[in-house]
mmCIF file of all heavy atoms in Angstrom:
data_model
loop_
_atom_site.group_PDB
_atom_site.id
_atom_site.type_symbol
_atom_site.label_atom_id
_atom_site.label_comp_id
_atom_site.label_asym_id
_atom_site.label_seq_id
_atom_site.Cartn_x
_atom_site.Cartn_y
_atom_site.Cartn_z
ATOM 1 N N MET A 399 -20.231 0.398 -25.381
ATOM 2 C CA MET A 399 -20.903 1.626 -25.778
ATOM 3 C C MET A 399 -20.750 1.877 -27.273
ATOM 4 O O MET A 399 -19.860 1.321 -27.937
ATOM 5 C CB MET A 399 -20.329 2.830 -25.022
ATOM 6 C CG MET A 399 -20.568 2.838 -23.533
ATOM 7 S SD MET A 399 -20.048 4.408 -22.766
ATOM 8 C CE MET A 399 -21.398 5.486 -23.278
ATOM 9 N N LEU A 400 -21.609 2.768 -27.779
ATOM 10 C CA LEU A 400 -21.529 3.246 -29.154
ATOM 11 C C LEU A 400 -21.262 4.746 -29.161
ATOM 12 O O LEU A 400 -21.711 5.480 -28.279
ATOM 13 C CB LEU A 400 -22.843 2.979 -29.895
ATOM 14 C CG LEU A 400 -23.126 1.531 -30.304
ATOM 15 C CD1 LEU A 400 -24.594 1.360 -30.676
ATOM 16 C CD2 LEU A 400 -22.230 1.112 -31.468
ATOM 17 N N HIS A 401 -20.539 5.172 -30.187
ATOM 18 C CA HIS A 401 -20.211 6.598 -30.335
ATOM 19 C C HIS A 401 -20.224 6.944 -31.820
ATOM 20 O O HIS A 401 -19.824 6.123 -32.653
ATOM 21 C CB HIS A 401 -18.830 6.866 -29.732
ATOM 22 C CG HIS A 401 -18.386 8.293 -29.811
ATOM 23 N ND1 HIS A 401 -19.220 9.352 -29.536
ATOM 24 C CD2 HIS A 401 -17.170 8.840 -30.131
ATOM 25 C CE1 HIS A 401 -18.539 10.487 -29.672
ATOM 26 N NE2 HIS A 401 -17.306 10.201 -30.044
ATOM 27 N N THR A 402 -20.680 8.142 -32.168
ATOM 28 C CA THR A 402 -20.689 8.574 -33.563
ATOM 29 C C THR A 402 -20.761 10.091 -33.639
ATOM 30 O O THR A 402 -21.041 10.763 -32.637
ATOM 31 C CB THR A 402 -21.877 7.945 -34.324
ATOM 32 O OG1 THR A 402 -21.695 8.133 -35.728
ATOM 33 C CG2 THR A 402 -23.209 8.569 -33.906
ATOM 34 N N HIS A 403 -20.501 10.630 -34.828
ATOM 35 C CA HIS A 403 -20.770 12.047 -35.107
ATOM 36 C C HIS A 403 -22.243 12.182 -35.487
ATOM 37 O O HIS A 403 -22.781 11.325 -36.187
ATOM 38 C CB HIS A 403 -19.929 12.543 -36.292
ATOM 39 C CG HIS A 403 -18.451 12.436 -36.091
ATOM 40 N ND1 HIS A 403 -17.748 11.278 -36.361
ATOM 41 C CD2 HIS A 403 -17.546 13.343 -35.664
ATOM 42 C CE1 HIS A 403 -16.454 11.484 -36.117
ATOM 43 N NE2 HIS A 403 -16.305 12.725 -35.688
ATOM 44 N N MET A 404 -22.880 13.283 -35.079
ATOM 45 C CA MET A 404 -24.295 13.456 -35.435
ATOM 46 C C MET A 404 -24.677 14.934 -35.494
ATOM 47 O O MET A 404 -24.330 15.704 -34.601
ATOM 48 C CB MET A 404 -25.201 12.754 -34.407
ATOM 49 C CG MET A 404 -26.669 12.716 -34.805
ATOM 50 S SD MET A 404 -27.758 12.223 -33.436
ATOM 51 C CE MET A 404 -27.867 13.798 -32.539
ATOM 52 N N SER A 405 -25.368 15.288 -36.558
ATOM 53 C CA SER A 405 -25.959 16.631 -36.706
ATOM 54 C C SER A 405 -24.941 17.735 -36.458
ATOM 55 O O SER A 405 -25.221 18.739 -35.820
ATOM 56 C CB SER A 405 -27.154 16.794 -35.757
ATOM 57 O OG SER A 405 -28.152 15.829 -36.018
ATOM 58 N N GLU A 406 -23.762 17.557 -37.042
ATOM 59 C CA GLU A 406 -22.702 18.547 -36.868
ATOM 60 C C GLU A 406 -22.964 19.792 -37.689
ATOM 61 O O GLU A 406 -22.715 20.912 -37.240
ATOM 62 C CB GLU A 406 -21.349 17.928 -37.234
ATOM 63 C CG GLU A 406 -20.171 18.839 -37.003
ATOM 64 C CD GLU A 406 -18.838 18.139 -37.223
ATOM 65 O OE1 GLU A 406 -18.841 16.918 -37.542
ATOM 66 O OE2 GLU A 406 -17.797 18.804 -37.091
ATOM 67 N N THR A 407 -23.461 19.617 -38.923
ATOM 68 C CA THR A 407 -23.722 20.759 -39.802
ATOM 69 C C THR A 407 -25.146 20.713 -40.329
ATOM 70 O O THR A 407 -25.776 19.648 -40.396
ATOM 71 C CB THR A 407 -22.762 20.752 -41.007
ATOM 72 O OG1 THR A 407 -23.067 19.627 -41.848
ATOM 73 C CG2 THR A 407 -21.310 20.685 -40.564
ATOM 74 N N ALA A 408 -25.622 21.867 -40.757
ATOM 75 C CA ALA A 408 -26.957 21.938 -41.363
ATOM 76 C C ALA A 408 -26.993 21.133 -42.663
ATOM 77 O O ALA A 408 -28.001 20.479 -42.967
ATOM 78 C CB ALA A 408 -27.335 23.395 -41.616
ATOM 79 N N ALA A 409 -25.905 21.175 -43.427
ATOM 80 C CA ALA A 409 -25.852 20.433 -44.692
ATOM 81 C C ALA A 409 -25.968 18.934 -44.456
ATOM 82 O O ALA A 409 -26.625 18.213 -45.223
ATOM 83 C CB ALA A 409 -24.546 20.756 -45.421
ATOM 84 N N GLU A 410 -25.333 18.452 -43.401
ATOM 85 C CA GLU A 410 -25.409 17.028 -43.063
ATOM 86 C C GLU A 410 -26.844 16.624 -42.739
ATOM 87 O O GLU A 410 -27.319 15.560 -43.167
ATOM 88 C CB GLU A 410 -24.499 16.760 -41.864
ATOM 89 C CG GLU A 410 -24.651 15.395 -41.229
ATOM 90 C CD GLU A 410 -24.030 15.327 -39.851
ATOM 91 O OE1 GLU A 410 -23.104 16.111 -39.557
ATOM 92 O OE2 GLU A 410 -24.481 14.484 -39.052
ATOM 93 N N VAL A 411 -27.543 17.469 -41.981
ATOM 94 C CA VAL A 411 -28.934 17.177 -41.623
ATOM 95 C C VAL A 411 -29.812 17.144 -42.876
ATOM 96 O O VAL A 411 -30.639 16.233 -43.060
ATOM 97 C CB VAL A 411 -29.466 18.226 -40.622
ATOM 98 C CG1 VAL A 411 -30.963 18.031 -40.377
ATOM 99 C CG2 VAL A 411 -28.704 18.141 -39.304
ATOM 100 N N GLU A 412 -29.612 18.109 -43.756
ATOM 101 C CA GLU A 412 -30.392 18.163 -44.996
ATOM 102 C C GLU A 412 -30.130 16.936 -45.865
ATOM 103 O O GLU A 412 -31.052 16.380 -46.473
ATOM 104 C CB GLU A 412 -30.052 19.442 -45.763
ATOM 105 C CG GLU A 412 -30.533 20.716 -45.062
ATOM 106 C CD GLU A 412 -29.903 21.970 -45.641
ATOM 107 O OE1 GLU A 412 -29.118 21.851 -46.621
ATOM 108 O OE2 GLU A 412 -30.168 23.070 -45.107
ATOM 109 N N GLN A 413 -28.876 16.498 -45.925
ATOM 110 C CA GLN A 413 -28.540 15.315 -46.708
ATOM 111 C C GLN A 413 -29.219 14.078 -46.132
ATOM 112 O O GLN A 413 -29.706 13.222 -46.873
ATOM 113 C CB GLN A 413 -27.025 15.106 -46.732
ATOM 114 C CG GLN A 413 -26.605 13.851 -47.509
ATOM 115 C CD GLN A 413 -25.104 13.617 -47.455
ATOM 116 O OE1 GLN A 413 -24.324 14.537 -47.309
ATOM 117 N NE2 GLN A 413 -24.710 12.355 -47.574
ATOM 118 N N ASN A 414 -29.270 13.982 -44.822
ATOM 119 C CA ASN A 414 -29.910 12.845 -44.172
ATOM 120 C C ASN A 414 -31.397 12.777 -44.525
ATOM 121 O O ASN A 414 -31.949 11.702 -44.784
ATOM 122 C CB ASN A 414 -29.735 12.926 -42.658
ATOM 123 C CG ASN A 414 -29.690 11.566 -42.001
ATOM 124 O OD1 ASN A 414 -28.616 11.031 -41.735
ATOM 125 N ND2 ASN A 414 -30.860 10.997 -41.724
ATOM 126 N N VAL A 415 -32.031 13.942 -44.573
ATOM 127 C CA VAL A 415 -33.453 13.997 -44.940
ATOM 128 C C VAL A 415 -33.643 13.567 -46.386
ATOM 129 O O VAL A 415 -34.563 12.806 -46.711
ATOM 130 C CB VAL A 415 -34.013 15.411 -44.703
ATOM 131 C CG1 VAL A 415 -35.443 15.519 -45.241
ATOM 132 C CG2 VAL A 415 -33.997 15.758 -43.213
ATOM 133 N N ARG A 416 -32.760 14.036 -47.264
ATOM 134 C CA ARG A 416 -32.856 13.644 -48.679
ATOM 135 C C ARG A 416 -32.641 12.147 -48.857
ATOM 136 O O ARG A 416 -33.350 11.487 -49.616
ATOM 137 C CB ARG A 416 -31.812 14.411 -49.507
ATOM 138 C CG ARG A 416 -32.114 15.873 -49.736
ATOM 139 C CD ARG A 416 -31.236 16.456 -50.845
ATOM 140 N NE ARG A 416 -29.812 16.245 -50.621
ATOM 141 C CZ ARG A 416 -29.026 17.091 -49.942
ATOM 142 N NH1 ARG A 416 -29.552 18.190 -49.431
ATOM 143 N NH2 ARG A 416 -27.740 16.833 -49.791
ATOM 144 N N ASP A 417 -31.652 11.610 -48.172
ATOM 145 C CA ASP A 417 -31.282 10.205 -48.382
ATOM 146 C C ASP A 417 -32.214 9.228 -47.672
ATOM 147 O O ASP A 417 -32.503 8.142 -48.203
ATOM 148 C CB ASP A 417 -29.846 9.964 -47.892
ATOM 149 C CG ASP A 417 -28.805 10.672 -48.758
ATOM 150 O OD1 ASP A 417 -29.168 11.129 -49.859
ATOM 151 O OD2 ASP A 417 -27.634 10.757 -48.322
ATOM 152 N N TYR A 418 -32.679 9.603 -46.484
ATOM 153 C CA TYR A 418 -33.395 8.628 -45.656
ATOM 154 C C TYR A 418 -34.772 9.096 -45.174
ATOM 155 O O TYR A 418 -35.451 8.367 -44.455
ATOM 156 C CB TYR A 418 -32.540 8.236 -44.440
ATOM 157 C CG TYR A 418 -31.169 7.756 -44.832
ATOM 158 C CD1 TYR A 418 -30.020 8.420 -44.410
ATOM 159 C CD2 TYR A 418 -31.010 6.632 -45.645
ATOM 160 C CE1 TYR A 418 -28.759 7.993 -44.777
ATOM 161 C CE2 TYR A 418 -29.743 6.196 -46.025
ATOM 162 C CZ TYR A 418 -28.619 6.876 -45.590
ATOM 163 O OH TYR A 418 -27.382 6.442 -45.966
#
Side-chain angles (χ1 to χ4, degrees):
M399 294 188 76
L400 286 165
H401 181 43
T402 193
H403 300 85
M404 188 193 80
S405 301
E406 184 173 359
T407 68
E410 169 196 335
V411 173
E412 292 166 2
Q413 178 183 333
N414 210 97
V415 173
R416 287 195 306 271
D417 292 347
Y418 306 119

